[in-house]
Amino acid sequence: MNIEIIPHTLVGSVNAVASKSHAHRLLIAAALSKRPPAISIGTTSRDIEATRTCLQQLRKEIPVLDCGESGSTLRFLLPVAMALKERAVFLGSGRLPQRPISPLKEEMEAHGCTFINKHRKKGEAREICEIRGRLQGGIFTLPGNISSQYITGLLYALPLLKENSRIQITTPLESRGYVDLTLDVLKKFRIQIYTAEKEGCPTYMIEGRQQYLPPGDMEAEGDWSNIAFWVIAGILSRDSGIICNGIDPQSIQGDRAILNLARRMGGKVTEKGHSILVMSDSLRSTHIDASAIPDLVPILAVAASTAKGVTHIHNAHRLRIKESDRLAAMYDCLSRVGANIKEEPGGLLIEGVPQLKGGTVSGYNDHRIVMAMTVASIVSDSPIIIEGAEAVNKSYPTFFEDFEALGGEYRVL
């Protein structure tokens, strides 16, 4: 689906969709419980449904887990499946079969699993790997700068094993907020994880033979990752203002950092309960370390494109292995609409211009690229055409409905 976005200032209120990160974790913990609680998820998405479908597959003797395009589903369930099964097959679509699973793969191979890679096509999906052999406990060693999703997968799986285990992180842990979110959910399900830390490198000690014991029915939090698009839309709309509802100001989600970043860029942020009002007088540049907030980079790049001064986004190298190469994608998209932007090996350098211009950009089959470029239309002097806008269904199927409710205008081409 190609769409044309007509430039408009946005104003009004919007409700947060359910956090994909929190929903994945709650669903997995619930499925591993002997008496699974009901998990309430206000709004769903393709990634959340991929996790739900895969968890149903785990009831089978040889599960075939189609992860769709969800990297979280794949990386969380690789060790979980092999803690429970002797054999499992993992499928994926889009860019997922090409996205890395090392060094998790090598650590699992060192602990009883054998990976067989055939890359056969099965319908719309492609086989990522077949795994044989139960996962065994022991010492797992992972760097902290590759993917926090590997750590989360092991934290879910290792309490189920007979043996005690330890996860040693060998370099300072990036995206720590996502691991903290995992630990918070596990604690609620009475899974005990002991943590020691030295120079930013944590070690997680996990006893085997634990049981998942839910506290009762639970609800997924509002999503800070997706509400970030409306936060930036609010500061780009200047004094019009956008109210964002249904978000927990005490959430462990790392992308809650969007509020402080918005303030640093000149945003006026007023918090009240589970709502925030966002607006601004003018935007200014800032220095952004993206190591803990990689998912915010696309929309922060849009904010920087018309901010006064030069914004440097760095420590963002992991964005090259997301649904798209997000650094290259944002460089390409913003360049096409008149931004002064330079791509670096691990980041972006953006000098603000007074206004963007219209143009045609690819959505790169990436939900965050599509949403970011839609918000960019607020500061454009003419329409922006986005090719492949249906990518928003991955995490936020109602994005364009909410955009329209805030005064946005678009038409399907």
Side-chain angles (χ1 to χ4, degrees):
M1 177 179 73
N2 299 339
I3 60 171
E4 181 182 37
I5 311 293
I6 314 301
H8 281 290
T9 294
L10 303 187
V11 63
S13 65
V14 63
N15 295 325
V17 296
S19 165
K20 188 159 65 82
S21 297
H22 198 218
H24 284 310
R25 288 163 171 80
L26 290 178
L27 288 171
I28 294 170
L32 296 176
S33 304
K34 286 191 174 180
R35 294 182 179 178
I39 303 299
S40 175
I41 302 172
T43 49
T44 189
S45 65
R46 285 180 181 172
D47 279 11
I48 293 173
E49 290 308 310
T51 291
R52 201 192 301 269
T53 300
C54 286
L55 291 171
Q56 292 170 350
Q57 276 287 315
L58 285 180
R59 300 169 186 166
K60 298 183 178 180
E61 184 177 353
I62 303 176
V64 177
L65 299 97
D66 187 346
C67 302
E69 298 184 33
S70 175
S72 297
T73 305
L74 173 65
R75 291 163 173 170
F76 292 173
L77 293 185
L78 280 168
V80 168
M82 303 322 296
L84 302 171
K85 302 293 178 180
E86 295 286 347
R87 183 180 172 190
V89 177
F90 285 84
L91 310 178
S93 304
R95 204 167 179 240
L96 186 61
Q98 285 75 51
R99 293 175 66 181
I101 55 174
S102 294
L104 177 61
K105 172 179 176 288
E106 287 75 14
E107 286 300 297
M108 290 179 62
E109 287 176 328
H111 291 82
C113 299
T114 300
F115 281 67
I116 303 169
N117 301 98
K118 296 181 180 178
H119 301 295
R120 297 171 294 191
K121 191 165 185 180
K122 297 191 175 184
E124 295 299 316
R126 186 170 293 278
E127 184 174 314
I128 298 171
C129 60
E130 178 181 328
I131 312 176
R132 298 183 183 183
R134 284 284 182 101
L135 185 67
Q136 299 169 6
I139 299 174
F140 294 77
T141 304
L142 292 169
N145 64 340
I146 302 298
S147 175
S148 65
Q149 293 172 349
Y150 300 156
I151 302 168
T152 286
L154 289 171
L155 287 171
Y156 273 97
L158 298 181
L160 301 171
L161 306 182
K162 296 177 181 178
E163 309 88 358
N164 296 341
S165 299
R166 190 161 74 239
I167 306 172
Q168 296 181 168
I169 309 303
T170 58
T171 60
L173 178 59
E174 299 182 4
S175 294
R176 181 182 291 266
Y178 291 105
V179 178
D180 289 343
L181 184 61
T182 299
L183 293 172
D184 182 65
V185 170
L186 289 172
K187 183 178 179 180
K188 286 182 169 64
F189 280 77
R190 300 186 192 178
I191 296 295
Q192 294 185 330
I193 308 287
Y194 301 94
T195 305
E197 186 158 344
K198 184 177 180 181
E199 298 179 350
C201 304
T203 295
Y204 303 102
M205 292 155 282
I206 305 110
E207 292 184 4
R209 299 181 184 274
Q210 295 192 57
Q211 291 186 344
Y212 281 77
L213 300 171
D217 296 345
M218 303 181 74
E219 182 177 4
E221 295 179 351
D223 187 21
W224 279 99
S225 300
N226 280 338
I227 212 69
F229 293 94
W230 305 127
V231 170
I232 297 303
I235 66 174
L236 293 180
S237 297
R238 303 298 172 92
D239 289 330
S240 296
I242 292 178
I243 299 172
C244 304
N245 302 312
I247 44 179
D248 183 358
Q250 305 303 319
S251 173
I252 294 176
Q253 294 177 53
D255 287 339
R256 185 167 55 92
I258 190 61
L259 294 189
N260 286 334
L261 288 164
R263 290 186 176 107
R264 279 166 48 187
M265 299 189 80
K268 297 178 181 178
V269 181
T270 303
E271 300 181 58
K272 185 176 181 180
H274 284 64
S275 298
I276 56 172
L277 168 64
V278 189
M279 59 178 67
S280 75
D281 291 326
S282 61
L283 293 181
R284 58 178 177 265
S285 61
T286 190
H287 187 81
I288 299 171
D289 182 343
S291 58
I293 50 164
D295 284 346
L296 297 184
V297 168
I299 193 58
L300 289 171
V302 168
S305 66
T306 57
K308 186 177 181 179
V310 177
T311 296
H312 187 204
I313 301 173
H314 69 109
N315 285 337
H317 51 279
R318 283 179 297 141
L319 270 75
R320 297 201 181 278
I321 55 171
K322 295 288 188 175
E323 286 84 343
S324 67
D325 178 339
R326 286 181 176 160
L327 293 179
M330 288 309 300
Y331 167 76
D332 177 55
C333 289
L334 286 174
S335 295
R336 289 177 183 272
V337 296
N340 186 354
I341 181 171
K342 294 181 180 179
E343 180 184 355
E344 297 181 329
L348 298 168
L349 196 66
I350 307 167
E351 183 173 1
V353 297
Q355 192 172 32
L356 299 179
K357 62 181 182 180
T360 300
V361 301
S362 171
Y364 282 90
N365 194 35
D366 190 326
H367 53 135
R368 300 201 190 279
I369 303 301
V370 174
M371 291 188 283
M373 293 311 299
T374 300
V375 172
S377 68
I378 296 171
V379 288
S380 177
D381 63 9
S382 54
I384 294 176
I385 295 172
I386 304 175
E387 299 172 338
E390 69 277 4
V392 297
N393 293 328
K394 188 174 195 296
S395 68
Y396 197 164
T398 59
F399 174 80
F400 286 108
E401 294 175 26
D402 289 345
F403 175 70
E404 197 169 38
L406 290 169
E409 182 181 354
Y410 71 95
R411 65 187 184 95
V412 178
L413 301 178

